[in-house]
Amino acid sequence: MKLSDKKHLSLVFKILFFFVASLITVLLIPDSNKFSFEFQKGGPWKHESLIAEFDFPVFKSENLLRNERDSVLKYAKPYFIYNPDVSKNVINEFNADFDVLIQKVYLNIPNEKQNKTGKEFIEKLQKSITEKLHLVYDKGIIETLPANNISDYTDLNIFLVKENIAEVHPYLTFYSQKKAYNEVNILYTKYKNESIIPLPSFDFSKYITYNILFDASTTQKAKKQLLDEISPVRGMIQAGERIIYEGQLINDDKYQILTSLRKEYLTERDSYSDRAILFSGQFILASSIFTILFLYFFFYNKTIFDNNRKILYFLSLTIIFVVTAATVSSINVLNIYIIPITILPLITATFYKPRTAFLHHTITILLLGFIASNSFEFILIQFVAGFVAISGVSRLNRRSQILWTALLIFLTYIFLYSALTIIREGDINKIQINQIAWFAGSSVLVLMAYPLIYIFEKIFGFISDVTLIELSDTNRPLLKLLAEKAPGTFQHSVQVANISEEAARELNANPLLARAGALYHDIGKMNNSSFFIENQHDKNPHDKIDPLQSVEIIKKHVDDGLKIAKKYNLPKEIIDFILTHHGTSKIAWFLHKYKELNHNEKINEDIFKYNGKLPYSKETAIVMIVDSVEAASRSLKEYTEESINDLVENIVNSKISDNLLIDADITFGEISKVKKVLKTKLKNIYHTRVEYPKGV
C-alpha cells in the first residue's frame, strides 16, 4: 500500500472515531425539549411575550412537594395491633409461679403459724394482683416506637386495630412497660408490708410485656398511600392565556409555570418524523462540538492527531463522563454535581499541555450541558472549576497537589454557586446546604485522580511527571548498571541531564522529560564501554581496528540502547531519546580518518551516518544539542569564554545546516536560548580556579 493511501486510510479511521463518539453521545443524551427559550429565576424574560399554545398543568416546586411530604410523614398515624392472647398467657403464668412461690414460703413457717387468717391474706393478695394485671392489660401496654420514627409522644395519636377495626387513640392513654410494672409492684409492696407472714421480693418484669404491638408494615403502606395521594400539580394554564410579558421579572410563580411548560415539551413524541428530526439536530450539535477537538488536533497538535491511541484517549474519557452524567441524571436521588468532572482536565493536564487539557474539558462540559437541567449555570461552574483544576496540577510531581487542588475546586464551587444563587434568588438564605454537600462529595472524588492517572498511563502508554521523577532516580537498577559498566558515560549522561533540564525549563518545555531522556540516551554504551572516549583511561581500542569497524561499534550503541530499554520496559517517550540523540548525523571523526587512509577511494558517506530518527520535539532536540556540545567540550584544550562560545555556536550551527532539527518543534529563538544556557553551564563547570599562594 502506498504511503499516501495509508494516510488517507488513517484519516478515514480518525473521522470514523469522531463520528462514533458523536453517535454514542447523542444516544446517551436524554430527549431534549422543543422549548427554545432560556430563562433564569430572578432575571427578566428576554423574549417576546409568551402565550400558552395548549392547556398544561402547573407543577409544584420540589421544595413545596418536599414540605408536603414531610408534613404527611410527620402527622401520619402509626398502626398498632392489639393481641388479646398476651394477657391470658401472662396471668396464667403468674398464678402458676405465685402458687409455687407461696408453697416455698409455707415450708419455712411452722404449722402453728399457718393459720386461716394468713391463708386468706395470701389468697386476697393473689386475687388483687391478678385483677390488677387484668386492668393493666385491658388498658394496654404499648410498644415503644422505633427511635427514628418520633421523639415527642405528647400529641401523638395512633390507629389501634382490634378485631380488624382501626380506632384512633392517644398514644399516652396506654401503659408503658415501666408504668405497668410500677402499678403491679406498688400493689405487691403494699400487701408485703401488711402481711403477717414474711413475703419474699417478687420480680414482676417477667409478667409485663407488650400486648399492643407496632405494625411497621401497615404503617409503611399507609404512609406510602398518603404520599401517593399528594398531587404534583397545583393548577392549570389554559390555551391562549398569557404566561409572561417581555421584560417581566421571573419570580417564583412565573419560574414554576415556565418550568412546567418546559416539562410538557419533554413528553414522548408520537411522530416518528419528530424523533428523527430531533435526533438529527442533536447529532449535528454533538458532531460540531467534537469537530472543534478534531480541528484543534489537525491544525495545532499533529503529535496527537497522528496517534490513534491518543485520540481514543480523548474521545473515550469524554464518553465515560457523558455515560456517567446520563446515568446520574436518570437516578432521582442523585445530583449531577456529584460527578467529579474536574478529574478530566486534571488527568489530561498531567499528560498534555494545559491548553489541550482545557479544550478537552470545555468540549466535555458543552456535551454534558445537554444533560444538565440548568445548562448555562452548569457549564459556567464547571468551566471555572476546570481552569482551577488545571492550574493546580500544571506540573504534578507531588501527591499533595491533588489534595490542595480538590480543596480549591470545592471553594470554587461554593463561591460560584453562592453568587449565582444570590443573583437568581436575591436572598443569601436560599443557599442550600445539601447542594454544597454534593459539591463536597464531588471534590472528595477528585482524589481518585491519582490512581486513575496511573491506570490511564498504563492503558494508553502515557508518561506522567510522577513517572518521570521515578525514572530520574539514579538509584534505579538500569542507571546503577550504567554507572558500574560505563562510569564515564554515566557522568556524561548526568551532565547532559542537568543542562537539558535547565534548557527545557527556559523553553517552557517539559524539564522532567528532558532530564529523564538524557539520563538514558546512552545506555547502549554499556555493551562496549571501552570503545567510547569518556570511559577510556590510556589506550584507545579504535587504534587497532579499521575505521569501518569502529563506525559499526559506535553506531551499534543506539541499537543496543533500544534493546536494553525494551528489556527494562522503559516508556516509548524515553526510548525516543535513544533513537533521536544522534538522529542521522555523521560520525565525522572516523569519516575523516577513513578518507585519510583511503583518499583515492570513492566513499559512500551514508555508511558513516547513524540509523536513528530526527528529533521531533523540543525535549529531544534539546538533548541532541546538549549531548553533542557536552561531549565535545571535554576535548577542548583550554576553557575560556571565547573557546566555549565558539564550540557551542559551531556545533549548534552544524546541526541546523545538516537539517537535523528540521522536524523538531523548536524555533530559532528557542535554539538561541538553548545556546545561552549551554554557554552559562559550561563556563560554570570549567571555570578557572584561582591559584593559591604556596603554604596557604
Side-chain angles (χ1 to χ4, degrees):
M1 184 181 290
K2 295 180 180 179
L3 182 61
S4 59
D5 292 337
K6 287 183 178 180
K7 287 184 177 179
H8 287 131
L9 184 61
S10 178
L11 181 61
V12 169
F13 274 117
K14 289 175 176 62
I15 293 172
L16 183 62
F17 289 158
F18 280 88
F19 175 85
V20 171
S22 302
L23 187 62
I24 292 172
T25 301
V26 174
L27 292 173
L28 290 170
I29 292 173
D31 282 345
S32 60
N33 54 60
K34 297 178 182 177
F35 194 68
S36 57
F37 305 106
E38 282 289 335
F39 60 92
Q40 278 193 308
K41 188 192 293 186
W45 179 253
K46 299 178 181 179
H47 312 280
E48 295 180 355
S49 297
L50 187 61
I51 307 296
E53 298 178 2
F54 49 82
D55 298 346
F56 67 91
V58 178
F59 294 95
K60 296 175 182 175
S61 67
E62 283 299 320
N63 285 338
L64 181 58
L65 283 173
R66 190 183 305 112
N67 290 337
E68 289 186 7
R69 293 189 190 105
D70 291 343
S71 178
V72 164
L73 294 176
K74 181 178 180 181
Y75 295 105
K77 299 178 182 65
Y79 278 77
F80 286 80
I81 297 175
Y82 176 78
N83 188 347
D85 296 330
V86 172
S87 60
K88 296 176 184 178
N89 297 334
V90 167
I91 291 171
N92 289 337
E93 185 178 4
F94 163 73
N95 285 321
D97 292 345
F98 192 82
D99 289 340
V100 172
L101 178 67
I102 295 303
Q103 290 300 323
K104 291 181 179 179
V105 170
Y106 278 133
L107 288 175
N108 298 320
I109 299 174
N111 291 332
E112 62 274 10
K113 290 187 178 181
Q114 295 180 12
N115 52 38
K116 183 178 180 183
T117 304
K119 290 183 179 180
E120 289 176 352
F121 182 83
I122 294 299
E123 290 173 0
K124 182 181 178 182
L125 168 61
Q126 185 174 5
K127 181 180 179 183
S128 296
I129 292 176
T130 302
E131 289 175 352
K132 176 60 73 172
L133 286 172
H134 275 295
L135 288 172
V136 167
Y137 279 104
D138 286 345
K139 189 173 182 179
I141 304 174
I142 193 166
E143 183 179 2
T144 306
L145 283 168
N148 59 340
N149 281 46
I150 193 165
S151 58
D152 184 12
Y153 296 91
T154 305
D155 298 321
L156 177 64
N157 291 321
I158 67 163
F159 280 114
L160 180 60
V161 180
K162 278 186 178 182
E163 298 178 354
N164 295 325
I165 298 174
E167 294 180 348
V168 179
H169 295 274
Y171 181 89
L172 294 180
T173 59
F174 303 102
Y175 281 110
S176 64
Q177 270 190 322
K178 184 177 180 180
K179 189 176 179 182
Y181 175 85
N182 288 338
E183 286 278 328
V184 180
N185 192 57
I186 288 170
L187 178 63
Y188 180 77
T189 303
K190 178 184 175 184
Y191 273 91
K192 181 181 176 184
N193 294 335
E194 297 174 356
S195 177
I196 61 174
I197 61 174
L199 292 176
S201 298
F202 198 81
D203 184 9
F204 287 96
S205 59
K206 180 181 178 181
Y207 314 106
I208 304 298
T209 187
Y210 301 123
N211 67 330
I212 299 178
L213 305 172
F214 176 60
D215 187 350
S217 176
T218 305
T219 301
Q220 193 62 33
K221 288 177 183 177
K223 286 182 178 179
K224 185 178 182 303
Q225 184 178 350
L226 290 172
L227 291 174
D228 291 342
E229 290 173 357
I230 296 175
S231 173
V233 175
R234 66 174 175 84
M236 290 288 296
I237 297 293
Q238 304 297 321
E241 185 177 342
R242 188 184 301 276
I243 297 172
I244 193 169
Y245 291 97
E246 182 179 358
Q248 186 176 357
L249 194 68
I250 303 173
N251 56 22
D252 288 345
D253 184 61
K254 293 298 182 184
Y255 180 79
Q256 201 56 40
I257 293 172
L258 290 169
T259 303
S260 300
L261 178 60
R262 183 170 60 184
K263 191 173 183 178
E264 282 299 296
Y265 282 104
L266 288 170
T267 54
E268 187 177 355
R269 278 77 175 168
D270 295 324
S271 168
Y272 175 79
S273 61
D274 277 355
R275 290 196 297 271
I277 291 171
L278 174 64
F279 183 87
S280 300
Q282 290 176 329
F283 182 79
I284 291 171
L285 284 175
S287 58
S288 297
I289 294 172
F290 274 115
T291 300
I292 297 172
L293 193 62
F294 179 89
L295 294 176
Y296 170 76
F297 293 151
F298 183 79
F299 287 112
Y300 303 109
N301 206 321
K302 283 288 186 181
T303 304
I304 296 175
F305 188 80
D306 293 337
N307 191 316
N308 289 340
R309 184 170 56 180
K310 291 180 178 179
I311 288 177
L312 282 175
Y313 160 77
F314 284 92
L315 296 180
S316 60
L317 195 56
T318 297
I319 293 300
I320 286 171
F321 276 92
V322 172
V323 170
T324 305
T327 304
V328 168
S329 66
S330 65
I331 303 173
N332 293 330
V333 296
L334 293 179
N335 187 305
I336 195 169
Y337 284 104
I338 190 62
I339 304 172
I341 295 169
T342 48
I343 279 183
L344 181 142
L346 198 152
I347 294 175
T348 304
T350 304
F351 303 124
Y352 297 99
K353 293 180 179 179
R355 65 180 182 182
T356 302
F358 193 62
L359 178 65
H360 187 203
H361 174 65
T362 304
I363 293 299
T364 304
I365 61 174
L366 285 174
L367 293 169
L368 297 182
F370 288 114
I371 301 172
S373 58
N374 191 333
S375 56
F376 170 78
E377 184 174 308
F378 174 82
I379 292 172
L380 176 61
I381 290 175
Q382 298 297 352
F383 184 84
V384 179
F387 180 80
V388 171
I390 293 169
S391 302
V393 292
S394 56
R395 276 284 177 262
L396 179 62
N397 48 40
R398 297 188 308 275
R399 286 174 290 184
S400 60
Q401 284 179 259
I402 293 182
L403 180 62
W404 286 110
T405 301
L407 179 60
L408 287 174
I409 290 169
F410 176 57
L411 295 175
T412 301
Y413 278 144
I414 294 176
F415 179 77
L416 293 174
Y417 165 70
S418 300
L420 288 168
T421 302
I422 292 170
I423 293 171
R424 183 176 61 248
E425 304 286 352
D427 185 359
I428 196 171
N429 295 320
K430 294 290 186 179
I431 295 173
Q432 298 179 3
I433 299 299
N434 61 337
Q435 182 63 48
I436 293 176
W438 291 116
F439 290 138
S442 175
S443 302
V444 170
L445 291 175
V446 168
L447 300 178
M448 292 169 48
Y450 200 80
L452 286 175
I453 287 170
Y454 178 80
I455 293 171
F456 280 104
E457 195 172 355
K458 297 305 178 185
I459 292 175
F460 293 97
F462 295 150
I463 186 167
S464 67
D465 285 353
V466 176
T467 300
L468 290 173
I469 291 172
E470 292 173 352
L471 289 170
S472 299
D473 183 1
T474 53
N475 289 314
R476 290 183 71 87
L478 182 53
L479 292 178
K480 288 179 73 174
L481 189 63
L482 176 64
E484 179 184 336
K485 289 189 173 183
T489 300
F490 175 76
Q491 292 301 324
H492 160 70
S493 298
V494 171
Q495 289 282 32
V496 173
N498 291 335
I499 300 172
S500 297
E501 181 181 6
E502 185 64 30
R505 190 172 282 108
E506 191 70 25
L507 268 59
N508 200 27
N510 190 336
L512 294 175
L513 178 59
R515 179 177 184 81
L519 285 171
Y520 292 91
H521 79 283
D522 267 345
I523 56 174
K525 291 182 178 180
M526 287 191 296
N527 290 354
N528 293 289
S529 61
S530 62
F531 283 87
F532 297 91
I533 191 167
E534 65 268 22
N535 300 307
Q536 296 169 3
H537 299 290
D538 45 13
K539 295 181 181 180
N540 188 341
H542 289 290
D543 295 339
K544 298 179 180 180
I545 60 175
D546 184 76
L548 288 177
Q549 288 180 281
S550 295
V551 165
E552 289 303 315
I553 293 172
I554 298 297
K555 289 168 61 175
K556 192 171 181 292
H557 89 272
V558 174
D559 293 330
D560 288 345
L562 295 175
K563 291 176 183 177
I564 293 170
K566 290 176 182 177
K567 178 182 176 182
Y568 281 83
N569 296 317
L570 291 183
K572 178 184 178 300
E573 286 82 356
I574 302 301
I575 293 175
D576 284 347
F577 284 89
I578 300 171
L579 193 60
T580 61
H581 75 281
H582 288 301
T584 57
S585 61
K586 295 175 184 176
I587 307 173
W589 197 89
F590 288 105
L591 173 60
H592 179 71
K593 183 178 179 181
Y594 188 82
K595 284 181 178 180
E596 286 182 344
L597 296 174
N598 303 277
H599 54 274
N600 294 325
E601 182 182 333
K602 187 177 180 181
I603 300 171
N604 180 9
E605 294 190 1
D606 288 343
I607 296 173
F608 294 85
K609 287 184 177 181
Y610 284 99
N611 300 320
K613 186 172 104 174
L614 294 181
Y616 59 86
S617 64
K618 286 183 176 66
E619 293 83 7
T620 52
I622 288 169
V623 171
M624 169 184 267
I625 294 171
V626 175
D627 175 48
S628 298
V629 173
E630 201 281 335
S633 70
R634 294 169 181 263
S635 62
L636 283 175
K637 293 180 180 179
E638 60 176 354
Y639 295 101
T640 64
E641 185 172 342
E642 184 180 357
S643 66
I644 290 174
N645 286 345
D646 289 343
L647 175 72
V648 172
E649 292 293 340
N650 290 336
I651 290 179
V652 174
N653 289 338
S654 70
K655 300 293 181 188
I656 295 172
S657 61
D658 291 342
N659 291 326
L660 294 176
L661 302 175
I662 195 169
D663 290 342
D665 179 24
I666 190 170
T667 65
F668 284 110
E670 290 172 329
I671 292 174
S672 297
K673 291 181 180 179
V674 175
K675 290 193 289 186
K676 184 178 179 181
V677 172
L678 270 166
K679 292 173 185 178
T680 302
K681 287 289 185 181
L682 290 177
K683 288 172 188 176
N684 292 336
I685 293 170
Y686 300 114
H687 69 283
T688 305
R689 290 186 178 273
V690 176
E691 186 175 351
Y692 291 98
K694 292 182 179 180
V696 176

